[in-house]
């Protein structure tokens, strides 16, 4: 409890007291109203004797009870009156609590809440202090940086020939406004010599040059911090030419150094330009002719792509990866430790689903997702990797490296994601007798080269993969083919165009299945 009291600030404590006083006053007002009602009932019963006549109690005992109860209620209402008087006194003559805008937000204080105010912010001008100067003393005079403002350090130095240093003729006295405490502005301090000098020499002269720290512990701690984490920002590391400290140096020679260590806006760092291949770049040449026909802007398109990636990751890939892990655990429990998904071939997985399907019912549902690649070890590893971070490991024209570099004999991430989406929609659409393998969506709405869609059918609504490596997808609607930009977002744009056409032109219905909130809830991507 002690540590909590020490951790509270006066602003928090004053706010708590102000709100508590208001809460107590409200309770006192409410209880006083209820007490007045009870006193009126007691007064009415004493005059009419209703309760004693109906209940059969002795009138004198009941009268004594009512009088005692009335006295207790009057004492309570008297205490409430004192509380309300104290609150009214604070309301009228009390001083409101000063809170900044940030404190109001953190403490949850409303603008209309009484007892609090936000004082106007006043910026007091920084007074010039003699200590905020950079003075270089030489046998013939001293060079001063002028005013203590950090921006004035960039001005040419002024020369005062009457100043002589009592120590070494090359002594540098520096009083930095950045390393001093706020109290040092405008109030000169008288520091006694306590040996707090840091000597440093340049490459041109063996004469020691002293750095005066002023004997201030706060200043020394700041200097130590700057020296540790930014050695190039301290005066100990000034790397200047021999003419800097040489006798009779010109004042203008010091302007560059002063400008170097003055407060300035950082220059933008040069951006490294890397040469990207044409396959890595996403072309936007076909954006206007495809998406403008639907009234879609480029910003909205990129927002939809981000939402689509999240939906694919959370709805399909992540669930599939968790299901694979669960199936492997179930297989271990039934004694099939050497028959783990990802360690056996696809034919073995199908045979295992036929023989152990009753013990592991979810295995039959997972098998269609694994039919896109014969290398099951790579496929399972890739699904597990794509299940994290909204498919952050997604590489549209390649895959992952697991012990050996990715080769073209393996499936690309774009083709893998497309297969997972088609398999997911196959499981959601109602079965049809024409498609005995259960791939209803794949058979009706997906075509993969070397097959070609029938461009004479006006009912076409297809995603057409025209190239295997690098993968490229188009959307066929009726007799028209929409060629989307190539690159890493080609797959996502094809999926978005397919679903957006269903939303805007088909009423959100894919056959007999609603893709909106009452169905698969895919169209929330466009909200």
């Amino acid at each position: 409890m002690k540590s909590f009291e020490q951790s509270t600030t006066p602003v928090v404590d004053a706010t708590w007291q102000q709100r508590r006083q208001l809460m107590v006053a409200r309770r006192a007002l409410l209880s006083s109203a209820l007490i007045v009602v009870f006193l009126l009932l007691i007064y009415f019963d004493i005059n009419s004797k209703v309760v004693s006549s109906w209940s059969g109690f002795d009138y004198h005992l009941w009268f004594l009870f009512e009088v005692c109860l009335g006295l207790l209620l009057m004492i309570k209402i008297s205490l409430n009156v004192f509380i309300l008087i104290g609150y009214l006194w604070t309301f009228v003559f009390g001083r409101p609590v000063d809170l900044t805008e940030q404190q109001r937000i953190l403490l949850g204080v409303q603008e209309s809440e009484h007892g609090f105010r936000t004082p106007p912010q006043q910026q007091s001008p920084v007074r010039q202090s003699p200590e905020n100067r950079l003075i270089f003393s030489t046998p013939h005079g001293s060079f001063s940086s002028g005013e203590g403002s950090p921006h004035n350090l960039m001005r040419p130095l002024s020369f005062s020939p009457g100043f002589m240093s009592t120590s070494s003729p090359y002594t540098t006295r520096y009083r930095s406004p950045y390393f001093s405490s706020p109290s040092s502005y405008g109030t000169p301090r008288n520091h006694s010599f306590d040996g707090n000098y840091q000597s440093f020499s340049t490459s041109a002269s063996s004469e020691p040059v002293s750095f005066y720290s002023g004997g201030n512990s706060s200043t020394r701690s700041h200097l130590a911090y700057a020296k540790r984490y930014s050695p190039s920002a301290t005066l100990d590391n000034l790397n200047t030419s021999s003419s800097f400290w040489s006798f009779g140096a010109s004042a203008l020679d010091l302007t560059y150094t002063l400008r170097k260590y003055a407060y300035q806006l950082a220059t933008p760092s040069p951006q490294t330009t890397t040469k990207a291949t044409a396959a890595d770049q996403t072309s936007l040449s076909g954006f206007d002719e495809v998406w403008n026909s639907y009234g879609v802007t480029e910003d909205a398109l990129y927002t939809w792509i981000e939402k689509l990636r999240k939906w694919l990751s959370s709805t399909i890939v992540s669930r599939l990866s968790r299901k694979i892990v669960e199936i492997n655990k179930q297989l271990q429990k039934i004694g099939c430790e050497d028959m783990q998904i990802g360690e056996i071939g696809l034919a073995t997985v199908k045979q295992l689903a036929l023989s152990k399907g009753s013990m592991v019912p979810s295995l039959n549902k997972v098998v269609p997702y694994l039919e896109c690649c014969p290398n099951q070890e790579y496929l399972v590893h890739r699904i597990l990797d794509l299940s994290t971070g909204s498919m952050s490991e997604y590489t549209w024209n390649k895959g992952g490296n697991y012990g050996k570099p990715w080769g073209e004999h393996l499936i690309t991430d774009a083709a893998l994601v497309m297969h997972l989406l088609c398999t997911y929609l196959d499981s959601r659409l109602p079965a049809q007798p024409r498609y005995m393998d259960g791939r209803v969506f794949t058979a009706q709405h997906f075509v993969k080269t070397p097959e070609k869609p029938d461009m004479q059918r006006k009912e076409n609504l297809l995603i057409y993969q025209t190239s295997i490596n690098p993968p490229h997808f188009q959307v066929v609607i009726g007799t028209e083919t929409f060629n989307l930009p190539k690159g890493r977002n080609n797959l996502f744009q094809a999926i978005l165009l397919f679903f957006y056409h269903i939303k805007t032109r088909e009423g959100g219905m894919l056959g007999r299945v609603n893709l909106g909130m009452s169905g698969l809830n895919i169209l929330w991507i466009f909200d």
Side-chain angles (χ1 to χ4, degrees):
M1 185 68 181
K2 184 177 179 181
S3 62
F4 174 76
E5 292 177 356
Q6 292 178 351
S7 63
T8 57
T9 61
V11 175
V12 176
D13 185 67
T15 304
W16 181 81
Q17 292 288 351
Q18 189 82 1
R19 286 186 160 183
R20 179 174 174 79
Q21 189 176 18
L22 176 61
M23 181 181 63
V24 172
R26 287 178 178 177
R27 291 180 179 177
L29 182 62
L30 180 60
S31 62
S32 299
L34 295 176
I35 289 172
V36 170
V37 174
F38 276 108
L39 289 176
L40 292 177
L41 293 176
I42 291 173
Y43 178 77
F44 174 77
D45 185 68
I46 289 176
N47 292 333
S48 60
K49 305 176 184 180
V50 176
V51 177
S52 60
S53 61
W54 284 359
S55 61
F57 291 130
D58 183 57
Y59 170 75
H60 299 285
L61 293 177
W62 185 251
F63 175 77
L64 182 62
F65 171 77
E66 289 180 333
V67 170
C68 293
L69 181 61
L71 291 175
L72 293 176
L73 294 177
M74 291 181 68
I75 293 173
K76 176 62 178 175
I77 201 173
S78 301
L79 296 176
N80 291 342
V81 169
F82 282 109
I83 294 174
L84 293 175
I85 291 175
Y87 174 73
L88 291 177
W89 180 270
T90 305
F91 184 84
V92 177
F93 302 102
R95 180 181 178 182
V97 180
D98 293 336
L99 297 177
T100 63
E101 292 296 335
Q102 291 79 7
Q103 290 173 342
R104 279 184 177 272
I105 295 174
L106 292 174
L107 297 176
V109 178
Q110 303 295 330
E111 293 289 343
S112 60
E113 194 167 344
H114 181 76
F116 304 94
R117 69 175 182 178
T118 302
Q121 297 181 358
Q122 298 181 355
Q123 297 181 354
S124 58
V126 179
R127 292 181 295 176
Q128 180 180 349
S129 174
E131 295 182 347
N132 299 330
R133 288 171 174 261
L134 182 62
I135 302 173
F136 294 92
S137 301
T138 66
H140 297 277
S142 64
F143 299 103
S144 174
S145 64
E147 300 176 1
S149 173
H151 298 285
N152 291 330
L153 294 177
M154 301 172 62
R155 298 179 180 177
L157 300 181
S158 61
F159 178 71
S160 56
F163 187 90
M164 295 296 291
S165 176
T166 59
S167 60
S168 172
Y170 301 99
T171 300
T172 303
R173 296 176 54 190
Y174 179 76
R175 187 69 178 163
S176 173
Y178 308 112
F179 293 156
S180 304
S181 60
S183 61
S184 66
Y185 287 96
T187 307
R189 295 186 180 180
N190 220 354
H191 299 289
S192 60
F193 178 77
D194 56 357
N196 292 324
Y197 287 81
Q198 296 178 351
S199 298
F200 64 96
S201 59
T202 61
S203 60
S205 175
S206 60
E207 295 284 344
V209 183
S210 301
F211 180 76
Y212 181 65
S213 63
N216 192 333
S217 60
S218 176
T219 303
R220 289 195 301 271
S221 63
H222 284 298
L223 287 173
Y225 181 86
K227 183 177 181 180
R228 179 180 178 185
Y229 292 100
S230 183
S232 62
T234 62
L235 291 179
D236 292 345
N237 295 286
L238 285 175
N239 186 14
T240 58
S241 62
S242 60
S243 62
F244 182 88
W245 299 108
S246 60
F247 177 77
S250 174
L252 296 178
D253 295 339
L254 310 179
T255 306
Y256 170 75
T257 304
L258 295 177
R259 184 185 295 112
K260 180 180 179 182
Y261 293 98
Y263 177 82
Q264 302 179 34
L265 291 177
T267 57
S269 59
Q271 298 181 356
T272 304
T273 58
T274 58
K275 294 183 179 180
T277 60
D280 294 333
Q281 298 178 350
T282 301
S283 173
L284 295 178
S285 59
F287 176 83
D288 295 337
E289 60 190 58
V290 176
W291 290 105
N292 282 350
S293 61
Y294 288 89
V296 178
T297 62
E298 187 174 349
D299 294 336
L301 178 61
Y302 285 129
T303 302
W304 294 349
I305 290 175
E306 180 182 358
K307 291 183 178 180
L308 177 62
R309 291 176 66 124
K310 292 180 180 179
W311 181 81
L312 290 171
S313 176
S314 60
T315 306
I316 302 177
V317 188
S318 296
R319 293 181 181 179
L320 177 60
S321 63
R322 290 195 298 267
K323 187 63 65 176
I324 291 175
V325 174
E326 293 176 2
I327 291 174
N328 285 337
K329 291 181 180 179
Q330 293 177 3
L331 291 174
Q332 291 179 359
K333 291 180 181 180
I334 63 176
C336 298
E337 294 86 355
D338 56 341
M339 306 289 286
Q340 298 289 296
I341 298 179
E343 299 178 0
I344 57 178
L346 180 59
T348 308
V349 173
K350 293 181 178 180
Q351 184 65 30
L352 187 64
L354 294 176
S355 59
K356 304 294 182 180
S358 58
M359 300 180 184
V360 188
S362 57
L363 183 57
N364 289 311
K365 298 180 181 179
V366 173
V367 170
Y369 291 94
L370 306 176
E371 295 179 348
C372 59
C373 180
N375 192 330
Q376 293 292 294
E377 183 178 4
Y378 169 81
L379 178 62
V380 172
H381 275 88
R382 199 58 187 160
I383 292 175
L384 296 178
D385 286 349
L386 292 177
S387 63
T388 59
S390 298
M391 299 192 301
S392 58
E393 299 292 332
Y394 175 81
T395 307
W396 69 280
N397 59 346
K398 293 182 180 179
N401 299 326
Y402 305 105
K404 60 177 70 175
W406 181 89
E408 294 186 358
H409 63 284
L410 299 173
I411 188 172
T412 60
D413 285 352
L416 173 59
V417 173
M418 188 65 214
H419 172 78
L420 296 181
L421 175 64
C422 290
T423 307
Y424 172 78
L425 295 176
D426 288 336
S427 62
R428 293 299 184 268
L429 295 182
Q432 296 185 16
R434 292 186 298 170
Y435 312 108
M436 301 301 299
D437 56 353
R439 296 192 174 276
V440 182
F441 177 85
T442 304
Q444 296 183 91
H445 303 286
F446 180 68
V447 177
K448 182 178 180 181
T449 187
E451 298 180 2
K452 295 183 179 181
D454 184 7
M455 301 304 299
Q456 302 300 325
R457 295 181 67 251
K458 296 183 179 181
E459 297 82 10
N460 282 336
L461 182 56
L462 307 170
I463 298 178
Y464 176 34
Q465 183 176 357
T466 60
S467 175
I468 301 297
N469 198 359
H472 183 70
F473 298 87
Q474 298 177 351
V475 178
V476 179
I477 301 176
T479 59
E480 186 177 3
T481 301
F482 293 89
N483 189 16
L484 297 165
K486 298 179 181 180
R488 58 187 178 89
N489 289 329
N490 171 258
L491 169 66
F492 302 121
Q493 290 196 34
I495 297 174
L496 287 173
L497 181 59
F498 180 84
F499 286 139
Y500 193 71
H501 176 83
I502 293 176
K503 177 184 179 181
T504 57
R505 309 293 170 85
E506 304 293 336
M509 299 294 294
L510 180 60
R512 292 180 294 172
V513 177
N514 189 353
L515 301 183
M517 295 183 61
S518 60
L520 300 183
N521 196 19
I522 301 176
L523 302 182
W524 69 270
I525 297 172
F526 307 105
D527 295 338

